[in-house]
Amino acid sequence: MLDRYITINRALRATAHAAQELLEAERYDGDGYAVGALTSMVSRCLSDVQRLWPKELPTEDLDHISNALGEGKQGNYYQIVTAYIPRLENALDDHFLNQPSGDLAYAILELLHSRVTASSYAHFRAGRYRDAVLNSIVVVFDMLRERTGLDSDGAELVSETFSLQRPRLIFTTLETESGRNEQKGFLQILQGYYLGIRNPKAHSLAIDTDPFSAAQYLVMSSILCRKIEDARLVEGQQAV
């Protein structure tokens, strides 16, 4: 958790430093080229902060900074340096100071794929572990459909997507034995994930999951999402 705080804080400090230089360039130099370059620098730093910003915290001041850069007025740059960034720094400090040591939800956050975070993290934080796990698995199979244009589900969808004969997606290559083994291995993992985890949990309200098992499932779903995301779409098999 400390590492995450340091990473976000560094990105925020970089944004503050670039914004201060932008304010000074606009105020004293009047150099349009310098102002343009520094505006781009602030935007890049801001993008890093937005990517890392804790999802539980409001983003209003991040939006204010983005809008101020778009308007390009000196008074807005002053607000970035004196109001928006200090409020963000205070919110970040308060947020991490109030987190209990060893919070499992924070320990796994950086390991989760963004789609799993969006679908499942709020459920996990609220203790709805079954819903968190089911949603993460739905995301995996939604990604398969989105990438391939197929409308099937479960084992059938996986077989159509990663078939060794007519695949829609390929992880590495099917020209070598190791490549074919990887293709077949992840095909079997995905089929097992659906049949062994998704189906039992979806068909019984009595089944629940402890937080540690749920965290492991969310990480596994994230691994599969990243594999699907990185897989190569076979030419002529594009999604429709």
Side-chain angles (χ1 to χ4, degrees):
M1 186 166 66
L2 179 59
D3 288 347
R4 185 161 182 256
Y5 169 78
I6 291 172
T7 301
I8 302 171
N9 191 259
R10 283 176 177 168
L12 200 52
R13 289 204 313 269
T15 306
H17 179 72
Q20 182 65 49
E21 289 192 346
L22 173 59
L23 177 61
E24 292 175 2
E26 178 70 23
R27 181 182 293 169
Y28 299 115
D29 295 344
D31 184 342
Y33 178 80
V35 169
L38 287 167
T39 299
S40 296
M41 183 183 296
V42 177
S43 295
R44 288 194 298 271
C45 293
L46 179 64
S47 294
D48 289 338
V49 177
Q50 290 170 324
R51 175 175 55 84
L52 296 165
W53 195 247
K55 297 184 184 300
E56 299 87 346
L57 291 182
T59 59
E60 183 179 3
D61 284 318
L62 294 173
D63 296 335
H64 285 326
I65 295 174
S66 183
N67 292 336
L69 293 173
E71 293 174 3
K73 298 178 182 178
Q74 186 182 116
N76 290 344
Y77 301 154
Y78 182 78
Q79 285 291 102
I80 292 175
V81 172
T82 63
Y84 304 146
I85 288 180
R87 283 206 297 262
L88 289 168
E89 290 172 334
N90 290 336
L92 187 69
D93 289 347
D94 291 343
H95 177 70
F96 278 92
L97 283 172
N98 290 326
Q99 296 307 316
S101 176
D103 188 336
L104 179 62
Y106 277 88
I108 69 166
L109 187 55
E110 293 184 4
L111 300 175
L112 301 185
H113 188 277
S114 59
R115 294 281 295 269
V116 173
T117 302
S119 71
S120 304
Y121 190 67
H123 289 299
F124 186 86
R125 291 282 294 174
R128 297 188 294 270
Y129 304 121
R130 175 179 174 275
D131 291 335
V133 172
L134 282 175
N135 283 6
S136 77
I137 298 172
V138 168
V139 163
V140 171
F141 288 86
D142 280 349
M143 286 186 69
L144 284 177
R145 281 185 285 270
E146 289 167 12
R147 290 221 57 198
T148 63
L150 296 170
D151 58 6
S152 50
D153 194 21
E156 180 184 354
L157 172 61
V158 175
S159 294
E160 289 184 81
T161 300
F162 298 112
S163 162
L164 293 179
Q165 288 73 41
R166 297 188 61 188
R168 299 292 184 107
L169 296 176
I170 295 176
F171 291 117
T172 52
T173 178
L174 298 183
E175 301 301 317
T176 65
E177 183 177 358
S178 62
R180 291 190 293 273
N181 286 341
E182 180 179 1
Q183 186 87 356
K184 184 178 179 180
F186 272 97
L187 182 153
Q188 292 172 340
I189 289 170
L190 281 158
Q191 288 179 333
Y193 206 47
Y194 187 89
L195 295 172
I197 300 171
R198 187 268 183 191
N199 277 357
K201 291 188 178 300
H203 293 157
S204 175
L205 292 175
I207 297 176
D208 208 342
T209 305
D210 66 85
F212 292 98
S213 295
Q216 292 169 332
Y217 287 137
L218 296 191
V219 172
M220 182 61 187
S221 293
S222 296
I223 292 171
L224 294 174
C225 283
R226 291 189 180 98
K227 290 293 292 185
I228 293 167
E229 197 170 57
D230 293 341
R232 175 169 58 86
L233 192 63
V234 176
E235 186 176 352
Q237 302 288 349
Q238 281 78 7
V240 295

